[in-house]
Amino acid sequence: MPSRALGTAPPFPPMMPPDQPSLRDAIARHGLDPRKSLGQHFLLDPTVCARIAALAGDLAGRHVVEIGPGPGGLTRALLATPAAQVVAVELDRRAVALLVELADAHPGRLTVIEGDALKADPATLVPAPRRIIANLPYNVASPLLVGWLRQAAAIEGMTLMFQQEVAERITAAPDTGSYGRLAVLAQWRCRCDLLLRLPPGAFTPPPKVWSAVVGFTPHAEDPGPALFRAMERTTAAAFGQRRKMLRGALKSLGDAEALLAAAGIEGTRRAETLTVAEFDRLARVVCARGA
Ligand code: SAM
């Protein structure tokens, strides 16, 4: 997990942002030239950052985890909200050094953790009510999301920037080309809304593709770890061979015909035609039968 934590609580009261150096100055001073290997496409326009923070809704008293703060444009916008605190997890040591200055300018409201977000657990980083807000590193965005969906019951909401194509896969409806495992897992656990699309030019350096922000509001019901695992296995099998009928695609789970019959689903259907509610029925059968 994180190798060091800098800056500490207490979280209250929220403060007006003090005068700060421009992001471009801070980037130049810390030699934070963007690295492709870290998915570094920075948001330097304070208006865009404020807009993303606003999309998260009322943050009063919320404990915010930001993943990949980079030079801290979005972090500054989050610190300008009434959030109780921001805990920012960043892998790049050059950015951490820059962010420590920001933490010093906001005593008790920003904690910077140098480490890999894939190994960080939001539930242990901050108390409830927790929000995750981030312009995600695109190379690890999907595994990060699936990890958070696994523990969505511990999270009040997430506001996350993805490559637009991934945002569309998350919010896709059945019977569309984008509908797949990510849509089912995300929509099974959360209400998912595509809130904002941003062109490549909004970032420095510009990526090749558009980006989009998705808002996630977890559903009240917590399936628990066994059923979540069953859903992961069911969707992996179903969409692993998405052109096959389900009675063939689900063979790796055991007696596919029996599983489908118990869930009330025709074996001749294909994965992309199943609604999230039908996947829920199927995963419950798979879980109950230990298939
Ligand atoms: N939030 C900043 C912004 O909007 O300008 C930077 C966003 S940039 C798309 C992604 C950030 O995630 C980079 O700062 C990168 O160093 C960081 N990052 C990449 N992989 C990471 C990981 N595994 N854990 C934590 N941070 C990571």
Side-chain angles (χ1 to χ4, degrees), residues 129-213:
R130 300 178 190 92
R131 301 279 188 95
I132 305 177
I133 304 174
N135 171 17
L136 290 173
Y138 294 155
N139 45 344
V140 288
S142 294
L144 282 170
L145 174 63
V146 172
W148 298 329
L149 292 172
R150 213 169 269 140
Q151 51 171 313
I155 299 166
E156 188 185 51
M158 303 188 281
T159 308
L160 305 173
M161 174 103 69
F162 300 89
Q163 287 183 343
Q164 179 171 263
E165 181 248 328
V166 176
E168 284 171 350
R169 282 202 276 129
I170 291 165
T171 52
D175 272 323
T176 63
S178 300
Y179 187 67
R181 186 171 164 259
L182 211 49
V184 176
L185 285 180
Q187 295 173 34
W188 182 52
R189 291 301 297 115
C190 300
R191 185 184 134 179
C192 304
D193 299 298
L194 202 155
L195 301 174
L196 175 71
R197 296 174 197 265
L198 283 178
F203 302 83
T204 304
K208 288 200 173 74
V209 294
W210 278 60
S211 302
V213 176

Side-chain angles (χ1 to χ4, degrees), residues 38-43 66 68-70 89-91 115-117 135-137:
L38 289 170
Q40 291 182 333
H41 298 282
F42 301 139
L43 284 169
E66 186 192 1
V89 182
E90 172 58 60
L91 194 55
D116 183 351
N135 171 17
L136 290 173

